[in-house]
Amino acid sequence: MGLLEFSKLPVNTLVGADWKTFKELTAGQHIASDKRGKYLLTRAICRLLSLAVPLQDRKFRKLLASQRPAHDPLFILGHWRSGTTYVHNIFAQDPHFAFTTTYQTVFPHYVMALQGMFKPTMGWLMPEHRPTDNMELAPDLPQEEEFAFQNMCPRSYYNFWFFPERMQEYCDRYLTLRTATSEDIEAFKQVFDKLVRISIWNTRRGVKDAQYLSKNPPHTGRVKALVEMYPNAKFIYLMRNPYTVFESSRSFFANTIFPLQLHTISDEQMERNILRNYVELYRAYQEQKRFIPAGNLYEVKFEDIEQNALGIVEQIYSQLQLPGWDAARSAIESYIASKKVYKKNKYQYKPETVRKVNEAWGSILDEWGYERL
């Protein structure tokens, strides 16, 4: 059991940002008076650690900057709480897939240097399970890379964890890229490509045909930019019952944001943001998926994966022409079997929840074939 409770963190995850990113992200932001102590401690630690950022930068330029991965990535897309973590962990059992680790998401600048010093301490302090569900946590487990990206670049949707008052602005600019500038998009491409290369080096250094495995809900609104970077990238898009997604997202965002935010918004405003941004993300994906080459996209309901995970995964390997199914099958089958005892959160849909989802997401329910309540 970790020594720190997630809800009582004395700092937020910006401790792992480089100083330039921290300054640009926090410049002119509203810091609530009751969050100022956390902000100042986070800032002080970030400033101190940033002195070591050049160590990794030099090693990256020497070892990785001129190398291109053997394969374009496999991207797992879908709204938060749509089963992306479970699917991510399934594919991560395949030893040819590389991924961003939980350690790397907090300390992306200290992976190629100083990881041996920082990671044991992180493992000692961090909780063993996520605060919003029962999924396990550990420094070397796969994690969604947006948490790393936000510490490498100030142009991240996850800025809203710290500054939720600007959540909708960040959605339009950094999640769906609807108001993004050309500079925003180019910065995203450069930083993300660097993150991919370091992740492959970190988790599959000795695998010649290593392929990056991405699980990152924000990428659902960036498909066009991703295909421009990786023309032969493969994509899995997950759908899940919107009533469940709404209840789970509301709980997830409310609980996760508490120890990270530097000012607050009301529960009502967060709920409105969830309802609105879900639609924006859905529309962005529907508009951009046409850029994915034929045969490189697999769309599936999470409920179907729950019923037949091994069969669906085998279909994905076949349709997307992913290498390594025979070698990976045993490990994937064992992982799926081990999670059959996992107890998910149960949701009771209140009439008010049903009304809100039907009003805001009714057309999506119909499009995906979920019965309206």
Side-chain angles (χ1 to χ4, degrees):
M1 184 176 186
L3 293 185
L4 293 179
E5 295 181 38
F6 186 78
S7 63
K8 298 179 181 179
L9 292 176
V11 296
N12 66 31
T13 54
L14 282 174
V15 292
D18 60 274
W19 187 236
K20 182 175 182 290
T21 293
F22 185 93
K23 286 194 301 180
E24 289 188 25
L25 173 56
T26 59
Q29 296 278 15
H30 164 218
I31 309 294
S33 58
D34 64 330
K35 310 292 184 184
R36 190 151 187 82
K38 175 173 288 190
Y39 164 74
L40 292 174
L41 182 57
T42 300
R43 176 180 172 174
I45 295 174
C46 174
R47 186 70 184 100
L48 178 63
L49 294 181
S50 288
L51 296 174
V53 169
L55 295 176
Q56 175 164 288
D57 286 344
R58 285 196 292 269
K59 198 167 185 178
F60 176 82
R61 288 193 296 270
K62 180 179 179 180
L63 298 179
L64 304 178
S66 62
Q67 297 183 12
R68 181 168 179 84
H71 300 280
D72 286 349
L74 169 63
F75 292 97
I76 300 170
L77 308 178
H79 192 276
W80 296 263
R81 320 308 295 161
S82 293
T84 55
T85 296
Y86 178 58
V87 174
H88 190 209
N89 288 339
I90 289 176
F91 279 87
Q93 306 309 306
D94 184 334
H96 108 277
F97 279 121
F99 48 82
T100 299
T101 65
T102 301
Y103 169 83
Q104 188 179 357
T105 62
V106 181
F107 298 110
H109 300 286
Y110 317 108
V111 177
M112 301 183 75
L114 302 182
Q115 183 172 185
M117 181 187 304
F118 292 166
K119 187 169 69 175
T121 302
M122 179 180 175
W124 180 50
L125 292 174
M126 70 185 295
E128 294 180 348
H129 296 89
R130 294 199 310 198
T132 54
D133 52 30
N134 200 35
M135 296 298 289
E136 58 190 325
L137 280 177
D140 288 324
L141 288 178
Q143 187 56 263
E144 63 183 76
E145 62 266 21
E146 193 75 12
F147 290 107
F149 180 74
Q150 72 175 5
N151 277 348
M152 301 172 71
C153 179
R155 295 172 166 90
S156 169
Y157 175 59
Y158 277 7
N159 294 349
F160 86 83
W161 290 119
F162 316 118
F163 306 111
E165 292 172 351
R166 302 178 65 180
M167 189 173 180
Q168 292 192 12
E169 173 193 341
Y170 293 145
C171 170
D172 296 341
R173 186 171 178 183
Y174 302 135
L175 179 63
T176 66
L177 305 185
R178 185 168 59 83
T179 63
T181 65
S182 58
E183 290 80 7
D184 291 335
I185 295 173
E186 184 59 29
F188 162 73
K189 290 179 177 180
Q190 290 184 7
V191 175
F192 181 65
D193 183 65
K194 182 177 182 179
L195 175 62
V196 167
R197 294 172 192 241
I198 293 174
S199 297
I200 293 174
W201 178 92
N202 184 46
T203 57
R204 294 292 185 261
R205 199 175 314 169
V207 179
K208 293 182 179 180
D209 66 340
Q211 183 173 12
Y212 184 68
L213 174 66
S214 165
K215 171 258 177 176
N216 200 45
H219 284 338
T220 308
R222 305 166 179 160
V223 168
K224 182 176 182 292
L226 294 172
V227 174
E228 288 172 352
M229 295 176 67
Y230 307 108
N232 196 38
K234 314 293 185 178
F235 295 87
I236 302 167
Y237 179 68
L238 295 174
M239 299 162 280
R240 191 181 187 185
N241 188 314
Y243 298 109
T244 300
V245 169
F246 176 71
E247 290 284 6
S248 187
S249 295
R250 184 166 55 183
S251 173
F252 171 69
F253 286 120
N255 286 286
T256 305
I257 202 170
F258 179 77
L260 303 178
Q261 62 190 355
L262 296 174
H263 59 230
T264 61
I265 60 174
S266 68
D267 292 342
E268 293 75 18
Q269 183 60 54
M270 176 59 76
E271 189 174 278
R272 288 193 294 271
N273 289 344
I274 292 170
L275 289 168
R276 184 251 188 193
N277 292 350
Y278 181 99
V279 175
E280 294 298 316
L281 189 62
Y282 168 81
R283 288 173 177 168
Y285 170 74
Q286 295 299 326
E287 292 169 0
Q288 296 180 41
K289 71 178 184 179
R290 61 189 173 88
F291 294 103
I292 301 174
N296 285 4
L297 171 64
Y298 191 100
E299 298 183 315
V300 61
K301 288 182 176 179
F302 182 63
E303 292 84 0
D304 292 339
I305 293 176
E306 288 183 304
Q307 293 297 316
N308 182 26
L310 188 65
I312 294 293
V313 171
E314 184 174 10
Q315 288 178 19
I316 293 172
Y317 268 83
S318 176
Q319 179 171 312
L320 298 185
Q321 298 184 340
L322 300 173
W325 169 247
D326 290 338
R329 175 173 180 148
S330 177
I332 289 174
E333 190 171 14
S334 295
Y335 178 81
I336 291 171
S338 73
K339 295 306 172 185
K340 286 184 178 179
V341 298
Y342 168 67
K343 294 182 179 179
K344 300 178 298 177
N345 291 330
K346 303 270 185 192
Y347 298 99
Q348 299 296 323
Y349 307 128
K350 297 179 180 180
E352 186 65 10
T353 291
V354 172
R355 181 187 66 80
K356 290 175 180 178
V357 172
N358 285 344
E359 288 180 357
W361 302 350
S363 62
I364 300 173
L365 281 160
D366 298 339
E367 175 73 21
W368 288 346
Y370 289 100
E371 183 179 355
R372 293 203 194 197
L373 301 180

